[in-house]
Amino acid sequence: MKSFIGHHEVATDTDYLELALGTPLELWLGEEDESDDERAARLDAARDILAEAPELIDRATRIAAEAIEAHIPALFHNVSRLPRPARSTGRTAPRAVAA
């Protein structure tokens, strides 16, 4: 079965995210081999987009929260509980008195 958002076919999770945000993910995440100049230009473009569409921050936050919520069991399947620290009895060890 094929999925569509508007007239756009959605084939991957990345497609869903890009269509929901209205921007390519690389704009926000960068690319592995980008130069300092490319990074600066990408961040300038991102700042311009956020200045023109400040609601994008809320939309991106909501998408991230929904993705985390949907995948939380998989995110934490290897997590084990840490031992609790020993309870304090409220007593302190006697201090040595300097002579």
Side-chain angles (χ1 to χ4, degrees), residues 18-97:
E18 288 182 352
L19 288 167
L21 291 172
T23 61
L25 291 180
E26 291 81 12
L27 175 66
W28 310 106
L29 303 177
E31 296 195 42
E32 200 170 306
D33 297 329
E34 72 182 357
S35 68
D36 290 341
D37 288 341
E38 290 170 328
R39 182 176 190 274
R42 177 178 59 79
L43 293 176
D44 282 343
R47 276 190 286 276
D48 289 345
I49 289 170
L50 290 175
E52 292 176 15
E55 73 280 355
L56 185 59
I57 295 170
D58 292 336
R59 193 169 11 158
T61 302
R62 187 181 71 254
I63 290 167
E66 288 171 358
I68 290 168
E69 184 178 34
H71 298 287
I72 205 159
L75 292 172
F76 293 107
H77 77 279
N78 286 332
V79 175
S80 59
R81 291 182 180 256
L82 295 174
R84 289 183 176 225
R87 286 190 172 191
S88 172
T89 61
R91 297 183 212 168
T92 58
R95 293 185 182 178
V97 178

Side-chain angles (χ1 to χ4, degrees), residues 9 12 15 67 69:
E9 182 177 355
T12 66
D15 292 342
E69 184 178 34

